[in-house]
Amino acid sequence: MSDRVDFEIVCPNDHNQTVTFSQKEFEEMLKSGALVFHCNTCDTDWPPSHEDIAKFRRQFPKNSS
């Protein structure tokens, strides 16, 4: 079973995107400042909002470390 979770996000131009992270990958990218989303439809990059970060953290399985 994979420890990666799919997350649905919407780019600033209202295109639906799916990103996939393990909890460890997510936290490491967040700490390093490297977490930036990319929309393949309109070629836009944007950082996650505080709301996005909180939502993602709630969606990771509780037993992950």
Side-chain angles (χ1 to χ4, degrees):
M1 185 167 109
S2 175
D3 64 344
R4 295 173 63 85
V5 177
D6 290 341
F7 299 98
E8 299 299 321
I9 58 172
V10 178
C11 89
N13 296 314
D14 289 331
H15 299 118
N16 294 325
Q17 303 292 311
T18 301
V19 294
T20 305
F21 299 106
S22 70
Q23 187 169 13
K24 182 177 179 181
E25 286 173 327
F26 177 76
E27 295 297 339
E28 286 176 356
M29 289 180 71
L30 195 58
K31 285 178 189 172
S32 72
L35 186 57
V36 176
F37 299 132
H38 178 78
C39 178
N40 292 323
T41 303
C42 65
D43 200 31
T44 299
D45 294 325
W46 74 100
S49 68
H50 291 292
E51 183 178 296
D52 290 333
I53 292 168
K55 180 177 75 172
F56 292 170
R57 283 181 170 152
R58 285 191 302 269
Q59 290 182 37
F60 283 113
K62 299 295 182 209
N63 59 356
S64 290
S65 51

